[in-house]
């Protein structure tokens, strides 16, 4: 299955992508995680991207398109993948079409802005493997430590209140138009997010027609 998960920042894309990735045995590809890793490793991409991320802006399309097409050509993507956070603009979606990437679904996680602002303050991420956590909704077994790899859990630099509002505004302006784009192609699968991760997963599996 080739799938993209869309939705507002903090809407649960990464968490649901992680669950689906394990269930379906296909890789979870998060452009945000790849970019944050590039920033930590101080690569050329990382140096350019750092300012955009900190301001809650999108990284330029050309850079992200190039990064994703390289990642999708790797062997583990042969049987499908779950894209999390890509495409995020119409030019990115059109570039995917041009390269010949055909998705089976564009999963749209619907979560209202008020819920997002509440949620993002408690979000944490593993510094090593990027696994997502939340102090209230998805806490690790041991405070501050990743269950999967033992890495340290950190708060993302862009999860501060001013940047959160900026990211939401960018989402509405630049990413939301993709809903119409994928609806027209007959690929849109709407999933209304619930309060708990498990309930949201049930909705996601149902709209994708995957057995729970
Ligand atoms: P995320 O982890 O998906 O919330 O992404 C964090 C940040 O990485 C975003 O606010 C953007 O600055 C950048 N980013 C991630 N994916 C993309 C993309 N497809 N296009 C442009 N910027 C992106």
């Amino acid at each position: 299955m080739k799938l993209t998960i869309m939705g507002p920042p903090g809407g649960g894309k990464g968490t649901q992508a992680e669950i689906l990735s394990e269930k379906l045995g296909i890789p979870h590809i998060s452009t945000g995680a790849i970019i944050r890793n590039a920033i930590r490793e101080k690569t050329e991409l990382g140096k350019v991207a750092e300012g955009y991320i900190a301001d809650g802006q999108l990284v330029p399309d050309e850079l992200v398109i190039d990064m994703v097409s390289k990642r999708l050509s790797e062997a583990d993507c042969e049987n499908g993948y779950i894209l999390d956070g890509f495409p995020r603009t119409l030019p990115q979606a059109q570039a995917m079409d041009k390269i010949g990437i055909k998705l089976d679904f564009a999963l749209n996680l619907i979560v209202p802005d008020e819920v997002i602002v509440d949620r993002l303050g408690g979000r944490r991420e593993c510094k090593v493997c990027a696994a997502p956590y939340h102090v209230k909704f998805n806490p690790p077994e041991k405070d501050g430590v990743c269950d999967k790899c033992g890495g340290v859990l950190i708060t993302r630099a862009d999860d501060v209140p001013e940047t959160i509002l900026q990211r939401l505004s960018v989402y509405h302006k630049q990413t939301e138009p993709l809903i119409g784009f994928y609806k027209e192609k007959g690929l849109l699968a709407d999933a209304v997010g619930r309060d708990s991760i498990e309930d949201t997963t049930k909705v996601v599996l149902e709209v994708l027609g995957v057995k729970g």
Side-chain angles (χ1 to χ4, degrees), residues 13 30-33 35-36 52-53 56-59 64 84-88 92 123 156 158 167:
K13 299 187 296 291
S30 156
T31 43
I35 295 169
R36 282 188 291 281
Y52 291 100
I53 289 219
Q57 300 289 348
L58 295 183
V59 174
V64 184
D84 156 15
F86 183 90
R88 233 171 169 114
Q92 290 179 16
R123 180 154 86 165
R156 281 170 42 173
D158 56 350
R167 285 161 65 206

Side-chain angles (χ1 to χ4, degrees), residues 133 138-148 150-153:
Y133 292 90
N138 184 22
E141 278 173 23
K142 192 170 166 219
D143 231 11
V145 180
C146 178
D147 295 342
K148 294 190 175 149
V152 178
L153 301 190

Side-chain angles (χ1 to χ4, degrees), residues 38-113:
I39 293 174
R40 277 196 288 274
E41 292 185 351
K42 301 191 183 344
T43 66
E44 284 311 307
L45 166 70
K47 282 179 203 158
V48 178
E50 198 162 13
Y52 291 100
I53 289 219
D55 288 346
Q57 300 289 348
L58 295 183
V59 174
D61 286 335
E62 319 79 71
L63 292 179
V64 184
I65 291 165
D66 185 49
M67 183 182 97
V68 171
S69 48
K70 279 188 191 132
R71 178 64 186 90
L72 294 185
S73 66
E74 289 176 24
D76 65 334
C77 292
E78 256 171 29
N79 296 324
Y81 40 78
I82 299 158
L83 289 168
D84 156 15
F86 183 90
R88 233 171 169 114
T89 63
L90 274 175
Q92 290 179 16
Q94 286 155 348
M96 267 179 96
D97 280 355
K98 240 186 179 166
I99 304 167
I101 297 170
K102 286 201 167 51
L103 294 173
D104 298 302
F105 288 105
L107 179 70
N108 179 32
L109 268 185
I110 301 168
V111 183
D113 285 7

Side-chain angles (χ1 to χ4, degrees), residues 17 37 52 128 133 159 177 197 206:
N37 198 37
Y52 291 100
V128 180
Y133 292 90
D159 278 351
I197 292 172
E206 198 181 316

